[in-house]
Amino acid sequence: MDMRWLTLSFFISVIFSACLTAQPVVAEKDLDKRSQKALTEAKGYAARQNWTSAVEAYDALLDRSPNFLDGYFLRAAMHRELGNHAATEADYETALTRSPDYYPYAWHLLALAEYQQEKYAEAEEHASKAVAVLTKARQQKQAEALRQRAKIAQQLYKSPVDFSPVPLNENINTPALEYLPTFTADEELLIYTVRDPYSQEKEQEDFYFSQKNEAREWIKGTPLSRINTELNEGAQTIAGDGKLLFFSGCFRPGSHGGCDLYYSTFEGGEWQTARQPRPPLNSAHWDSQPCLSANGRYLYFSSDRPDGLGGSDIWRSTRQANGSWGAPENLGAPINTPNDDESPYIHP
């Protein structure tokens, strides 16, 4: 090939890249009316947790106003909710390429999206960048923790362990999303979360349950109709005897904080309508990710309530003789750290 064409192509590429990064950032107030309308629609969908429609609205907005930098960050958040880590990564990379200092915390979010795709080297690099540019101590700690995890993951990849998971049958797995399974101690009852991506209103999360038949196979999953609502239910835990279920519910009427703990009991052959435990179990803060001990006496959960050691900590409440739950206690060090400590799990 003629070296003159190679040289010309190189300079065109450099000039084009420079033009992209030099493009002015458009503020929300400077959007035209059609773009303003698309932004309003996108935010409305997001408020209703209709992430797919929100992404489509942001697509239309950015097609019309590609220099609206906030749009890439907002769309990335929608992709993150949908679990589309590659699209999340792409939006953060686009925005950060155009303006590396516009939203410093995005370096951490970019690293997180890469980590979730097992791009551990890139995640470590961008988490290091986040540590360097962030000024808030808590955010720096989050980024440093992610950097360390990415570094360790690279080391673990060098020493793989055989692991061959087998999918459950079609009575459980469907075209929808099934996740967060929990079992009773005898492994006869399965409760799991189903997220329907084809819902017309929003990506609805509900609980389903299944039991084993005489052939030791799981029967078709059935919704927990007396627990499920039009809102999302998630992060469930069940006592070993299958008589008590705790889960997380967010932004419900009568809630104490953004997310609260709820419970249901199995009586008369069916699960009862979910209720909130009496104070002081729930607080005006984030209370979520419950985990019951096998005997149902202890409830572990994560919360960012005051008097913790970090952002969110693991707490424990003990069931009293009258069935109520005692004041939660912080588990302290070494369980809790100055970072976010979440997702407790106690093996039945």
Side-chain angles (χ1 to χ4, degrees), residues 104-105 107-109 111-112 123-124 126-134 136-150 339-340:
Y105 190 65
W107 288 105
H108 175 262
L109 297 175
L112 184 60
E124 182 183 7
H126 291 132
S128 297
K129 174 70 173 179
V131 172
V133 300
L134 291 171
K136 294 182 179 179
R138 180 180 177 184
Q139 292 181 347
Q140 284 183 323
K141 290 177 181 177
Q142 289 177 333
E144 176 58 24
L146 178 58
R147 188 189 73 81
Q148 292 288 348
R149 292 202 305 272
N339 300 310
D340 288 327

PDB file of all heavy atoms in Angstrom, residues 104-105 107-109 111-112 123-124 126-134 136-150 339-340:
ATOM      1  N   PRO A 104     -16.190  12.592  37.837  1.00  0.00           N
ATOM      2  CA  PRO A 104     -15.097  11.706  38.254  1.00  0.00           C
ATOM      3  C   PRO A 104     -15.545  10.330  38.743  1.00  0.00           C
ATOM      4  O   PRO A 104     -14.845   9.337  38.517  1.00  0.00           O
ATOM      5  CB  PRO A 104     -14.419  12.507  39.385  1.00  0.00           C
ATOM      6  CG  PRO A 104     -14.745  13.936  39.066  1.00  0.00           C
ATOM      7  CD  PRO A 104     -16.121  13.914  38.486  1.00  0.00           C
ATOM      8  N   TYR A 105     -16.712  10.252  39.392  1.00  0.00           N
ATOM      9  CA  TYR A 105     -17.157   8.966  39.920  1.00  0.00           C
ATOM     10  C   TYR A 105     -17.439   7.964  38.800  1.00  0.00           C
ATOM     11  O   TYR A 105     -17.477   6.758  39.029  1.00  0.00           O
ATOM     12  CB  TYR A 105     -18.405   9.145  40.779  1.00  0.00           C
ATOM     13  CG  TYR A 105     -18.792   7.906  41.557  1.00  0.00           C
ATOM     14  CD1 TYR A 105     -17.966   7.400  42.554  1.00  0.00           C
ATOM     15  CD2 TYR A 105     -19.988   7.236  41.291  1.00  0.00           C
ATOM     16  CE1 TYR A 105     -18.307   6.265  43.263  1.00  0.00           C
ATOM     17  CE2 TYR A 105     -20.346   6.102  42.001  1.00  0.00           C
ATOM     18  CZ  TYR A 105     -19.504   5.624  42.985  1.00  0.00           C
ATOM     19  OH  TYR A 105     -19.851   4.486  43.688  1.00  0.00           O
ATOM     20  N   TRP A 107     -15.475   7.033  36.588  1.00  0.00           N
ATOM     21  CA  TRP A 107     -14.326   6.138  36.433  1.00  0.00           C
ATOM     22  C   TRP A 107     -14.529   4.871  37.272  1.00  0.00           C
ATOM     23  O   TRP A 107     -14.180   3.763  36.851  1.00  0.00           O
ATOM     24  CB  TRP A 107     -13.038   6.845  36.841  1.00  0.00           C
ATOM     25  CG  TRP A 107     -12.591   7.882  35.858  1.00  0.00           C
ATOM     26  CD1 TRP A 107     -12.671   9.238  35.987  1.00  0.00           C
ATOM     27  CD2 TRP A 107     -12.004   7.642  34.567  1.00  0.00           C
ATOM     28  NE1 TRP A 107     -12.185   9.864  34.873  1.00  0.00           N
ATOM     29  CE2 TRP A 107     -11.761   8.907  33.981  1.00  0.00           C
ATOM     30  CE3 TRP A 107     -11.669   6.491  33.864  1.00  0.00           C
ATOM     31  CZ2 TRP A 107     -11.188   9.039  32.722  1.00  0.00           C
ATOM     32  CZ3 TRP A 107     -11.100   6.618  32.609  1.00  0.00           C
ATOM     33  CH2 TRP A 107     -10.864   7.888  32.046  1.00  0.00           C
ATOM     34  N   HIS A 108     -15.102   5.041  38.458  1.00  0.00           N
ATOM     35  CA  HIS A 108     -15.409   3.875  39.293  1.00  0.00           C
ATOM     36  C   HIS A 108     -16.508   3.028  38.668  1.00  0.00           C
ATOM     37  O   HIS A 108     -16.425   1.789  38.641  1.00  0.00           O
ATOM     38  CB  HIS A 108     -15.831   4.341  40.689  1.00  0.00           C
ATOM     39  CG  HIS A 108     -16.278   3.221  41.587  1.00  0.00           C
ATOM     40  ND1 HIS A 108     -17.600   2.910  41.778  1.00  0.00           N
ATOM     41  CD2 HIS A 108     -15.575   2.315  42.325  1.00  0.00           C
ATOM     42  CE1 HIS A 108     -17.707   1.883  42.599  1.00  0.00           C
ATOM     43  NE2 HIS A 108     -16.497   1.504  42.938  1.00  0.00           N
ATOM     44  N   LEU A 109     -17.546   3.683  38.131  1.00  0.00           N
ATOM     45  CA  LEU A 109     -18.646   2.949  37.515  1.00  0.00           C
ATOM     46  C   LEU A 109     -18.195   2.226  36.249  1.00  0.00           C
ATOM     47  O   LEU A 109     -18.657   1.120  35.951  1.00  0.00           O
ATOM     48  CB  LEU A 109     -19.794   3.911  37.209  1.00  0.00           C
ATOM     49  CG  LEU A 109     -20.424   4.581  38.440  1.00  0.00           C
ATOM     50  CD1 LEU A 109     -21.464   5.609  38.009  1.00  0.00           C
ATOM     51  CD2 LEU A 109     -21.048   3.542  39.366  1.00  0.00           C
ATOM     52  N   ALA A 111     -15.128   1.087  35.781  1.00  0.00           N
ATOM     53  CA  ALA A 111     -14.354  -0.055  36.280  1.00  0.00           C
ATOM     54  C   ALA A 111     -15.276  -1.173  36.750  1.00  0.00           C
ATOM     55  O   ALA A 111     -15.008  -2.357  36.529  1.00  0.00           O
ATOM     56  CB  ALA A 111     -13.434   0.391  37.414  1.00  0.00           C
ATOM     57  N   LEU A 112     -16.383  -0.810  37.385  1.00  0.00           N
ATOM     58  CA  LEU A 112     -17.333  -1.807  37.865  1.00  0.00           C
ATOM     59  C   LEU A 112     -17.970  -2.566  36.700  1.00  0.00           C
ATOM     60  O   LEU A 112     -18.122  -3.795  36.751  1.00  0.00           O
ATOM     61  CB  LEU A 112     -18.411  -1.126  38.706  1.00  0.00           C
ATOM     62  CG  LEU A 112     -19.449  -2.043  39.362  1.00  0.00           C
ATOM     63  CD1 LEU A 112     -18.774  -3.029  40.306  1.00  0.00           C
ATOM     64  CD2 LEU A 112     -20.483  -1.213  40.114  1.00  0.00           C
ATOM     65  N   ALA A 123     -10.475  -3.140  34.537  1.00  0.00           N
ATOM     66  CA  ALA A 123     -11.138  -2.696  35.764  1.00  0.00           C
ATOM     67  C   ALA A 123     -10.125  -2.175  36.774  1.00  0.00           C
ATOM     68  O   ALA A 123     -10.344  -1.142  37.428  1.00  0.00           O
ATOM     69  CB  ALA A 123     -11.945  -3.842  36.365  1.00  0.00           C
ATOM     70  N   GLU A 124      -8.999  -2.874  36.904  1.00  0.00           N
ATOM     71  CA  GLU A 124      -7.969  -2.410  37.837  1.00  0.00           C
ATOM     72  C   GLU A 124      -7.414  -1.052  37.397  1.00  0.00           C
ATOM     73  O   GLU A 124      -7.208  -0.147  38.225  1.00  0.00           O
ATOM     74  CB  GLU A 124      -6.831  -3.424  37.925  1.00  0.00           C
ATOM     75  CG  GLU A 124      -5.752  -3.007  38.914  1.00  0.00           C
ATOM     76  CD  GLU A 124      -4.574  -3.962  38.957  1.00  0.00           C
ATOM     77  OE1 GLU A 124      -4.509  -4.891  38.125  1.00  0.00           O
ATOM     78  OE2 GLU A 124      -3.694  -3.780  39.828  1.00  0.00           O
ATOM     79  N   HIS A 126      -8.876   1.346  35.569  1.00  0.00           N
ATOM     80  CA  HIS A 126      -9.811   2.453  35.731  1.00  0.00           C
ATOM     81  C   HIS A 126     -10.200   2.670  37.194  1.00  0.00           C
ATOM     82  O   HIS A 126     -10.516   3.798  37.588  1.00  0.00           O
ATOM     83  CB  HIS A 126     -11.043   2.211  34.860  1.00  0.00           C
ATOM     84  CG  HIS A 126     -10.741   2.318  33.396  1.00  0.00           C
ATOM     85  ND1 HIS A 126     -11.149   1.380  32.476  1.00  0.00           N
ATOM     86  CD2 HIS A 126     -10.037   3.244  32.691  1.00  0.00           C
ATOM     87  CE1 HIS A 126     -10.726   1.737  31.265  1.00  0.00           C
ATOM     88  NE2 HIS A 126     -10.042   2.857  31.387  1.00  0.00           N
ATOM     89  N   ALA A 127     -10.165   1.621  37.994  1.00  0.00           N
ATOM     90  CA  ALA A 127     -10.377   1.812  39.429  1.00  0.00           C
ATOM     91  C   ALA A 127      -9.221   2.611  40.024  1.00  0.00           C
ATOM     92  O   ALA A 127      -9.425   3.456  40.912  1.00  0.00           O
ATOM     93  CB  ALA A 127     -10.519   0.463  40.128  1.00  0.00           C
ATOM     94  N   SER A 128      -8.026   2.368  39.548  1.00  0.00           N
ATOM     95  CA  SER A 128      -6.865   3.156  39.993  1.00  0.00           C
ATOM     96  C   SER A 128      -7.038   4.620  39.608  1.00  0.00           C
ATOM     97  O   SER A 128      -6.699   5.527  40.380  1.00  0.00           O
ATOM     98  CB  SER A 128      -5.581   2.601  39.377  1.00  0.00           C
ATOM     99  OG  SER A 128      -5.340   1.278  39.804  1.00  0.00           O
ATOM    100  N   LYS A 129      -7.555   4.853  38.398  1.00  0.00           N
ATOM    101  CA  LYS A 129      -7.842   6.215  37.968  1.00  0.00           C
ATOM    102  C   LYS A 129      -8.867   6.855  38.891  1.00  0.00           C
ATOM    103  O   LYS A 129      -8.731   8.029  39.278  1.00  0.00           O
ATOM    104  CB  LYS A 129      -8.361   6.193  36.525  1.00  0.00           C
ATOM    105  CG  LYS A 129      -8.847   7.533  35.994  1.00  0.00           C
ATOM    106  CD  LYS A 129      -7.716   8.513  35.766  1.00  0.00           C
ATOM    107  CE  LYS A 129      -8.229   9.777  35.082  1.00  0.00           C
ATOM    108  NZ  LYS A 129      -7.142  10.761  34.860  1.00  0.00           N
ATOM    109  N   ALA A 130      -9.894   6.094  39.261  1.00  0.00           N
ATOM    110  CA  ALA A 130     -10.917   6.611  40.156  1.00  0.00           C
ATOM    111  C   ALA A 130     -10.330   7.001  41.513  1.00  0.00           C
ATOM    112  O   ALA A 130     -10.648   8.063  42.069  1.00  0.00           O
ATOM    113  CB  ALA A 130     -12.032   5.588  40.332  1.00  0.00           C
ATOM    114  N   VAL A 131      -9.466   6.152  42.043  1.00  0.00           N
ATOM    115  CA  VAL A 131      -8.822   6.460  43.325  1.00  0.00           C
ATOM    116  C   VAL A 131      -8.050   7.773  43.228  1.00  0.00           C
ATOM    117  O   VAL A 131      -8.054   8.581  44.163  1.00  0.00           O
ATOM    118  CB  VAL A 131      -7.873   5.320  43.739  1.00  0.00           C
ATOM    119  CG1 VAL A 131      -7.058   5.720  44.970  1.00  0.00           C
ATOM    120  CG2 VAL A 131      -8.661   4.043  44.024  1.00  0.00           C
ATOM    121  N   ALA A 132      -7.423   8.012  42.079  1.00  0.00           N
ATOM    122  CA  ALA A 132      -6.592   9.208  41.910  1.00  0.00           C
ATOM    123  C   ALA A 132      -7.412  10.487  41.777  1.00  0.00           C
ATOM    124  O   ALA A 132      -6.983  11.550  42.233  1.00  0.00           O
ATOM    125  CB  ALA A 132      -5.696   9.040  40.684  1.00  0.00           C
ATOM    126  N   VAL A 133      -8.609  10.402  41.167  1.00  0.00           N
ATOM    127  CA  VAL A 133      -9.359  11.627  40.866  1.00  0.00           C
ATOM    128  C   VAL A 133     -10.480  11.911  41.856  1.00  0.00           C
ATOM    129  O   VAL A 133     -10.947  13.059  41.953  1.00  0.00           O
ATOM    130  CB  VAL A 133      -9.940  11.595  39.438  1.00  0.00           C
ATOM    131  CG1 VAL A 133      -8.809  11.461  38.424  1.00  0.00           C
ATOM    132  CG2 VAL A 133     -10.958  10.473  39.263  1.00  0.00           C
ATOM    133  N   LEU A 134     -10.940  10.912  42.593  1.00  0.00           N
ATOM    134  CA  LEU A 134     -12.035  11.136  43.531  1.00  0.00           C
ATOM    135  C   LEU A 134     -11.523  11.858  44.774  1.00  0.00           C
ATOM    136  O   LEU A 134     -10.392  11.639  45.212  1.00  0.00           O
ATOM    137  CB  LEU A 134     -12.691   9.808  43.919  1.00  0.00           C
ATOM    138  CG  LEU A 134     -13.480   9.114  42.802  1.00  0.00           C
ATOM    139  CD1 LEU A 134     -13.900   7.716  43.233  1.00  0.00           C
ATOM    140  CD2 LEU A 134     -14.702   9.949  42.422  1.00  0.00           C
ATOM    141  N   LYS A 136     -13.855  12.418  47.644  1.00  0.00           N
ATOM    142  CA  LYS A 136     -14.600  11.996  48.832  1.00  0.00           C
ATOM    143  C   LYS A 136     -14.019  10.680  49.346  1.00  0.00           C
ATOM    144  O   LYS A 136     -13.805   9.744  48.584  1.00  0.00           O
ATOM    145  CB  LYS A 136     -16.083  11.820  48.498  1.00  0.00           C
ATOM    146  CG  LYS A 136     -16.776  13.126  48.122  1.00  0.00           C
ATOM    147  CD  LYS A 136     -18.265  12.906  47.855  1.00  0.00           C
ATOM    148  CE  LYS A 136     -18.954  14.211  47.513  1.00  0.00           C
ATOM    149  NZ  LYS A 136     -20.407  14.026  47.229  1.00  0.00           N
ATOM    150  N   ALA A 137     -13.791  10.631  50.652  1.00  0.00           N
ATOM    151  CA  ALA A 137     -13.117   9.479  51.253  1.00  0.00           C
ATOM    152  C   ALA A 137     -13.879   8.180  51.003  1.00  0.00           C
ATOM    153  O   ALA A 137     -13.283   7.143  50.688  1.00  0.00           O
ATOM    154  CB  ALA A 137     -12.941   9.707  52.748  1.00  0.00           C
ATOM    155  N   ARG A 138     -15.198   8.215  51.115  1.00  0.00           N
ATOM    156  CA  ARG A 138     -15.980   6.991  50.943  1.00  0.00           C
ATOM    157  C   ARG A 138     -15.867   6.475  49.511  1.00  0.00           C
ATOM    158  O   ARG A 138     -15.724   5.268  49.290  1.00  0.00           O
ATOM    159  CB  ARG A 138     -17.438   7.240  51.300  1.00  0.00           C
ATOM    160  CG  ARG A 138     -18.314   6.002  51.152  1.00  0.00           C
ATOM    161  CD  ARG A 138     -19.759   6.282  51.507  1.00  0.00           C
ATOM    162  NE  ARG A 138     -20.586   5.101  51.299  1.00  0.00           N
ATOM    163  CZ  ARG A 138     -21.896   5.066  51.460  1.00  0.00           C
ATOM    164  NH1 ARG A 138     -22.534   6.154  51.843  1.00  0.00           N
ATOM    165  NH2 ARG A 138     -22.585   3.960  51.239  1.00  0.00           N
ATOM    166  N   GLN A 139     -15.935   7.367  48.544  1.00  0.00           N
ATOM    167  CA  GLN A 139     -15.826   6.951  47.154  1.00  0.00           C
ATOM    168  C   GLN A 139     -14.430   6.417  46.851  1.00  0.00           C
ATOM    169  O   GLN A 139     -14.281   5.444  46.098  1.00  0.00           O
ATOM    170  CB  GLN A 139     -16.164   8.116  46.232  1.00  0.00           C
ATOM    171  CG  GLN A 139     -17.624   8.540  46.296  1.00  0.00           C
ATOM    172  CD  GLN A 139     -17.934   9.687  45.360  1.00  0.00           C
ATOM    173  OE1 GLN A 139     -17.034  10.345  44.830  1.00  0.00           O
ATOM    174  NE2 GLN A 139     -19.211   9.950  45.132  1.00  0.00           N
ATOM    175  N   GLN A 140     -13.421   7.035  47.444  1.00  0.00           N
ATOM    176  CA  GLN A 140     -12.062   6.536  47.257  1.00  0.00           C
ATOM    177  C   GLN A 140     -11.919   5.116  47.794  1.00  0.00           C
ATOM    178  O   GLN A 140     -11.287   4.265  47.171  1.00  0.00           O
ATOM    179  CB  GLN A 140     -11.066   7.458  47.946  1.00  0.00           C
ATOM    180  CG  GLN A 140     -10.793   8.766  47.216  1.00  0.00           C
ATOM    181  CD  GLN A 140      -9.752   9.602  47.923  1.00  0.00           C
ATOM    182  OE1 GLN A 140      -9.709   9.649  49.155  1.00  0.00           O
ATOM    183  NE2 GLN A 140      -8.905  10.267  47.163  1.00  0.00           N
ATOM    184  N   LYS A 141     -12.545   4.861  48.951  1.00  0.00           N
ATOM    185  CA  LYS A 141     -12.477   3.523  49.549  1.00  0.00           C
ATOM    186  C   LYS A 141     -13.186   2.498  48.674  1.00  0.00           C
ATOM    187  O   LYS A 141     -12.710   1.367  48.515  1.00  0.00           O
ATOM    188  CB  LYS A 141     -13.088   3.547  50.953  1.00  0.00           C
ATOM    189  CG  LYS A 141     -12.256   4.317  51.975  1.00  0.00           C
ATOM    190  CD  LYS A 141     -12.947   4.363  53.326  1.00  0.00           C
ATOM    191  CE  LYS A 141     -12.119   5.147  54.334  1.00  0.00           C
ATOM    192  NZ  LYS A 141     -12.802   5.262  55.645  1.00  0.00           N
ATOM    193  N   GLN A 142     -14.315   2.904  48.094  1.00  0.00           N
ATOM    194  CA  GLN A 142     -15.022   1.997  47.190  1.00  0.00           C
ATOM    195  C   GLN A 142     -14.165   1.653  45.976  1.00  0.00           C
ATOM    196  O   GLN A 142     -14.074   0.486  45.572  1.00  0.00           O
ATOM    197  CB  GLN A 142     -16.335   2.648  46.730  1.00  0.00           C
ATOM    198  CG  GLN A 142     -17.405   2.752  47.809  1.00  0.00           C
ATOM    199  CD  GLN A 142     -18.632   3.472  47.306  1.00  0.00           C
ATOM    200  OE1 GLN A 142     -18.560   4.307  46.404  1.00  0.00           O
ATOM    201  NE2 GLN A 142     -19.776   3.167  47.883  1.00  0.00           N
ATOM    202  N   ALA A 143     -13.556   2.671  45.406  1.00  0.00           N
ATOM    203  CA  ALA A 143     -12.727   2.459  44.221  1.00  0.00           C
ATOM    204  C   ALA A 143     -11.506   1.612  44.551  1.00  0.00           C
ATOM    205  O   ALA A 143     -11.112   0.737  43.771  1.00  0.00           O
ATOM    206  CB  ALA A 143     -12.311   3.802  43.628  1.00  0.00           C
ATOM    207  N   GLU A 144     -10.899   1.852  45.706  1.00  0.00           N
ATOM    208  CA  GLU A 144      -9.734   1.071  46.106  1.00  0.00           C
ATOM    209  C   GLU A 144     -10.119  -0.384  46.355  1.00  0.00           C
ATOM    210  O   GLU A 144      -9.376  -1.308  45.976  1.00  0.00           O
ATOM    211  CB  GLU A 144      -9.099   1.669  47.355  1.00  0.00           C
ATOM    212  CG  GLU A 144      -7.919   0.876  47.927  1.00  0.00           C
ATOM    213  CD  GLU A 144      -6.780   0.696  46.940  1.00  0.00           C
ATOM    214  OE1 GLU A 144      -6.638   1.503  45.995  1.00  0.00           O
ATOM    215  OE2 GLU A 144      -6.016  -0.285  47.102  1.00  0.00           O
ATOM    216  N   ALA A 145     -11.282  -0.606  46.961  1.00  0.00           N
ATOM    217  CA  ALA A 145     -11.741  -1.979  47.186  1.00  0.00           C
ATOM    218  C   ALA A 145     -11.967  -2.691  45.854  1.00  0.00           C
ATOM    219  O   ALA A 145     -11.620  -3.870  45.698  1.00  0.00           O
ATOM    220  CB  ALA A 145     -13.022  -1.971  48.013  1.00  0.00           C
ATOM    221  N   LEU A 146     -12.539  -1.980  44.886  1.00  0.00           N
ATOM    222  CA  LEU A 146     -12.757  -2.572  43.557  1.00  0.00           C
ATOM    223  C   LEU A 146     -11.422  -2.863  42.873  1.00  0.00           C
ATOM    224  O   LEU A 146     -11.263  -3.905  42.219  1.00  0.00           O
ATOM    225  CB  LEU A 146     -13.604  -1.627  42.704  1.00  0.00           C
ATOM    226  CG  LEU A 146     -13.893  -2.078  41.268  1.00  0.00           C
ATOM    227  CD1 LEU A 146     -14.592  -3.427  41.260  1.00  0.00           C
ATOM    228  CD2 LEU A 146     -14.736  -1.030  40.549  1.00  0.00           C
ATOM    229  N   ARG A 147     -10.475  -1.960  43.021  1.00  0.00           N
ATOM    230  CA  ARG A 147      -9.146  -2.187  42.428  1.00  0.00           C
ATOM    231  C   ARG A 147      -8.510  -3.447  43.001  1.00  0.00           C
ATOM    232  O   ARG A 147      -7.938  -4.255  42.256  1.00  0.00           O
ATOM    233  CB  ARG A 147      -8.245  -0.976  42.688  1.00  0.00           C
ATOM    234  CG  ARG A 147      -6.915  -1.031  41.941  1.00  0.00           C
ATOM    235  CD  ARG A 147      -5.982   0.078  42.391  1.00  0.00           C
ATOM    236  NE  ARG A 147      -5.451  -0.189  43.726  1.00  0.00           N
ATOM    237  CZ  ARG A 147      -4.422  -1.000  43.989  1.00  0.00           C
ATOM    238  NH1 ARG A 147      -3.823  -1.635  42.994  1.00  0.00           N
ATOM    239  NH2 ARG A 147      -3.993  -1.179  45.214  1.00  0.00           N
ATOM    240  N   GLN A 148      -8.636  -3.621  44.295  1.00  0.00           N
ATOM    241  CA  GLN A 148      -8.061  -4.795  44.935  1.00  0.00           C
ATOM    242  C   GLN A 148      -8.749  -6.075  44.462  1.00  0.00           C
ATOM    243  O   GLN A 148      -8.084  -7.096  44.204  1.00  0.00           O
ATOM    244  CB  GLN A 148      -8.168  -4.676  46.460  1.00  0.00           C
ATOM    245  CG  GLN A 148      -7.295  -3.596  47.064  1.00  0.00           C
ATOM    246  CD  GLN A 148      -5.811  -3.963  47.034  1.00  0.00           C
ATOM    247  OE1 GLN A 148      -5.447  -5.102  46.759  1.00  0.00           O
ATOM    248  NE2 GLN A 148      -4.947  -2.999  47.301  1.00  0.00           N
ATOM    249  N   ARG A 149     -10.089  -6.025  44.311  1.00  0.00           N
ATOM    250  CA  ARG A 149     -10.816  -7.204  43.837  1.00  0.00           C
ATOM    251  C   ARG A 149     -10.406  -7.563  42.410  1.00  0.00           C
ATOM    252  O   ARG A 149     -10.259  -8.738  42.069  1.00  0.00           O
ATOM    253  CB  ARG A 149     -12.326  -6.971  43.906  1.00  0.00           C
ATOM    254  CG  ARG A 149     -12.884  -6.879  45.316  1.00  0.00           C
ATOM    255  CD  ARG A 149     -14.362  -7.182  45.357  1.00  0.00           C
ATOM    256  NE  ARG A 149     -15.154  -6.350  44.463  1.00  0.00           N
ATOM    257  CZ  ARG A 149     -15.657  -5.165  44.785  1.00  0.00           C
ATOM    258  NH1 ARG A 149     -15.426  -4.663  45.993  1.00  0.00           N
ATOM    259  NH2 ARG A 149     -16.386  -4.481  43.929  1.00  0.00           N
ATOM    260  N   ALA A 150     -10.244  -6.539  41.584  1.00  0.00           N
ATOM    261  CA  ALA A 150      -9.840  -6.790  40.200  1.00  0.00           C
ATOM    262  C   ALA A 150      -8.436  -7.381  40.146  1.00  0.00           C
ATOM    263  O   ALA A 150      -8.157  -8.276  39.333  1.00  0.00           O
ATOM    264  CB  ALA A 150      -9.901  -5.487  39.397  1.00  0.00           C
ATOM    265  N   ASN A 339     -15.524  -0.073  54.601  1.00  0.00           N
ATOM    266  CA  ASN A 339     -16.157  -0.075  53.287  1.00  0.00           C
ATOM    267  C   ASN A 339     -17.604  -0.536  53.405  1.00  0.00           C
ATOM    268  O   ASN A 339     -18.133  -0.688  54.509  1.00  0.00           O
ATOM    269  CB  ASN A 339     -15.371  -0.983  52.336  1.00  0.00           C
ATOM    270  CG  ASN A 339     -13.937  -0.525  52.157  1.00  0.00           C
ATOM    271  OD1 ASN A 339     -13.683   0.637  51.881  1.00  0.00           O
ATOM    272  ND2 ASN A 339     -12.994  -1.442  52.341  1.00  0.00           N
ATOM    273  N   ASP A 340     -18.253  -0.802  52.272  1.00  0.00           N
ATOM    274  CA  ASP A 340     -19.613  -1.323  52.271  1.00  0.00           C
ATOM    275  C   ASP A 340     -19.574  -2.828  52.459  1.00  0.00           C
ATOM    276  O   ASP A 340     -18.919  -3.541  51.689  1.00  0.00           O
ATOM    277  CB  ASP A 340     -20.317  -0.985  50.951  1.00  0.00           C
ATOM    278  CG  ASP A 340     -20.661   0.489  50.839  1.00  0.00           C
ATOM    279  OD1 ASP A 340     -20.961   1.104  51.883  1.00  0.00           O
ATOM    280  OD2 ASP A 340     -20.619   1.030  49.730  1.00  0.00           O
TER     281      ASP A 340
END
